[in-house]
Amino acid sequence: MNVDGKAMRSIWVEPDGWSIGVIDQTVLPHRFATVRLTTLQEAAHAIRAMVVRGAPLIGATAAYGLCLALRQNTSDDSLERSYDSLLATRPTAINLKWALDEMVAAVRNRPRDERSAAAYRRAAEICDEDVAINTAIGRNGVALIKAIAQRKKAGERVNVLTHCNAGWLATVDVGTATAPIYLAHDNKIAIHVFADETRPRNQGASLTAWELAHHGVPHTIIADNTGGHLMQHGLVDLVIVGTDRVTAYGDVCNKIGTYLKALAARDNNVPFYVALPSPTIDFTVTDGVAEIPIEERAADEVATITGRTADGRIETVRIVPDGSAVANYGFDVTPARLVSGLITERGVIAASRAALARAFPDRAGAAE
Amino acid sequence: MNVDGKAMRSIWVEPDGWSIGVIDQTVLPHRFATVRLTTLQEAAHAIRAMVVRGAPLIGATAAYGLCLALRQNTSDDSLERSYDSLLATRPTAINLKWALDEMVAAVRNRPRDERSAAAYRRAAEICDEDVAINTAIGRNGVALIKAIAQRKKAGERVNVLTHCNAGWLATVDVGTATAPIYLAHDNKIAIHVFADETRPRNQGASLTAWELAHHGVPHTIIADNTGGHLMQHGLVDLVIVGTDRVTAYGDVCNKIGTYLKALAARDNNVPFYVALPSPTIDFTVTDGVAEIPIEERAADEVATITGRTADGRIETVRIVPDGSAVANYGFDVTPARLVSGLITERGVIAASRAALARAFPDRAGAAE
């Protein structure tokens, strides 16, 4: 999508044909800076330090990390060590392992002098496939927005609420929850986004707002507490969020606080949709609340916050009393009964076992 | 309640017998400092600058502000000007006008040489009445906690979730939502509080956590997004919040985000109680969502945050992109259907028109 009026992706091969460029997401929204990755170690560090984040972008960065490693050493031994070292950067990200497995499959049976070129080709495909999936999600989801727009009076906007960042910064481009939003905006549908700030890491205020602003999509940042009030007063037409994992029955694991917005949507008859690439569906899990382990993260994410001072320095401040305990759960699970539908690359699907099995018969069957 | 092991109130007459002491709540939780108020102007500034906040404490501070004015000038004219100037400090606070009217009634018909002493007596009574009401709320509410404690196994704690600060810092002492909590703790019931940080002003993380810590009540600060997940996993036994206004039908206006917690409580069969002194009930309002105007506050409360740097400075940082719009609604309304009960000084009452009219027949009748 656009940054300062110029179309770009979140990861790219530099003009030298081999080094990799990414956006440094740790200093957004206050500074826009790119980082050039030239070694396996630099790629691994970018993932670990969250210079890049979001499951699809982590997968893409790992894929190119393996390219950088093979450029220096094409041996089986190097391939294996590089795989292990990249896999260890963010052990819970499901796309990371998938992308690394794809890369190994693409190069393993080739002569050593072909491996590097084959790796770059497969990494580029992985990126293009991500964009193609997200573009399809956008096409399928934009129909929901169009239908609402047609019921609006002249001059009224479609108001979408989203939580966290399931935007193009989390993917290679387009994003998942944002895909229908960008497509609607590009098609001249009047759309406005309420972006939950998304404590404790503030991905909504820092990343979603930044990318919407750069692409020119009207938006308003709100505290996470606000969505229920907006829905009570008819100020939200539609909720679209992303997800980290969807179960075989359609339960949705996503950033902590998603469940509260789903409850408010249900209480006020606001449609609640989840946008996802189908690999996010985990057909081995049935009951999301009971079965999905919820990561507890560092207390400092709640206890401190980073921002920009009046004189332009990036500073971290503590916002809780010394000695108070802090709990930091990263995700929650929204039961399928609260989900209006799943926006996938194969269409908008009901959040139910039957509908998911029908849409993905190969994968649903394999997991039984 | 206790600060550094010493019992204190949030407002007091200094040992000199006339000047007024308050806690500077603008620098909590990072610094504990008291401020001495010696003039009407200083009292008005303390309210306006939120050195003191919380409806009952604002009322008490205004009452003593009038005492300070009368000490310098006992004329009718001075009384009237002081009343107006204090009333203008926070125009929406309902207790402020009530306390000022009480003060004027107590001194107006007295000779000028008796007015100052009469004012100090009435201000002290207003403070003591607030403490007496909150103590009664505590007695009535602690029964709910005791009943849960009796069902617990040995070593298990009662987990209460609260939102914002309806603690002793918002009142003269004891607090409203915290009254049953402190009483349970003082009665050796094992209790633990989840304190929502309460964006955007963070009263939960800054004030509730601070006062619980100083009184020795075990507690954990959580992001506002977290309560639903905790309730899904049986980690919350009871929600108790305060309120700014309750309607004749039992709808509850309170800090933005309260409604989301009430929805989660209902979805998980967790009791959701609201603690309030009965003057908070507004018998002239029936439908809270439709009728109560919700204050929109400054965008900066969302866009910036203040905390302590690693080297001990208090610093404000910006946490949203330049140019992104921000909306900041201060309150929301929880419909009566989601409220398990209202903990008042006259007992625990159902959130319904019939129950409220039965408990407060004089006031309910007068408003018809």
Side-chain angles (χ1 to χ4, degrees), chain A residues 30 197 199 205 219 221 224-225 232-233 257 259 267-268 289 305 307-308 315 318 321-322 324-325 327 333 337, chain B residues 30 197 199 205 219 221 224-225 232-233 256-257 259 267-268 289 307-308 315 318 321-322 324-325 327 333 337:
Chain A
H30 306 298
E197 76 172 331
R199 287 281 294 148
H219 64 283
I221 299 168
D224 299 306
N225 285 320
Q232 282 181 316
H233 290 270
Y259 167 53
D267 201 46
N268 296 284
V289 175
I305 197 164
R308 196 191 60 204
E315 179 103 63
R318 184 172 175 86
D322 292 324
S324 284
V333 174
R337 64 184 152 86
Chain B
H30 305 297
E197 77 172 331
R199 288 282 293 148
H219 64 282
I221 299 167
D224 299 306
N225 284 321
Q232 282 181 316
H233 290 270
I256 190 87
Y259 167 53
D267 201 47
N268 295 284
V289 174
R308 197 190 60 203
E315 180 104 63
R318 184 174 176 85
D322 293 324
S324 284
V333 174
R337 66 185 151 85

Side-chain angles (χ1 to χ4, degrees), chain B residues 247-250 283 336 342 349-361 364 368:
Chain B
T247 72
Y249 283 74
F283 283 97
L342 305 169
I349 295 167
S352 74
R353 182 174 171 78
L356 283 166
R358 206 156 44 234
F360 303 97
E368 296 221 330

Side-chain angles (χ1 to χ4, degrees), chain B residues 210-241:
Chain B
W210 182 88
E211 61 169 78
L212 291 172
H214 272 276
H215 201 73
V217 181
H219 64 282
T220 303
I221 299 167
I222 50 174
D224 299 306
N225 284 321
T226 311
H229 169 74
L230 296 178
M231 292 188 219
Q232 282 181 316
H233 290 270
L235 299 172
V236 177
D237 295 301
L238 179 66
V239 179
I240 309 180
V241 298

Side-chain angles (χ1 to χ4, degrees), chain B residues 13-38:
Chain B
V13 179
E14 293 283 3
D16 60 23
W18 66 271
S19 68
I20 304 303
V22 294
I23 298 168
D24 182 356
Q25 299 195 22
T26 63
V27 294
L28 289 176
H30 305 297
R31 288 184 202 144
F32 175 71
T34 61
V35 177
R36 185 166 164 255
L37 309 175
T38 62

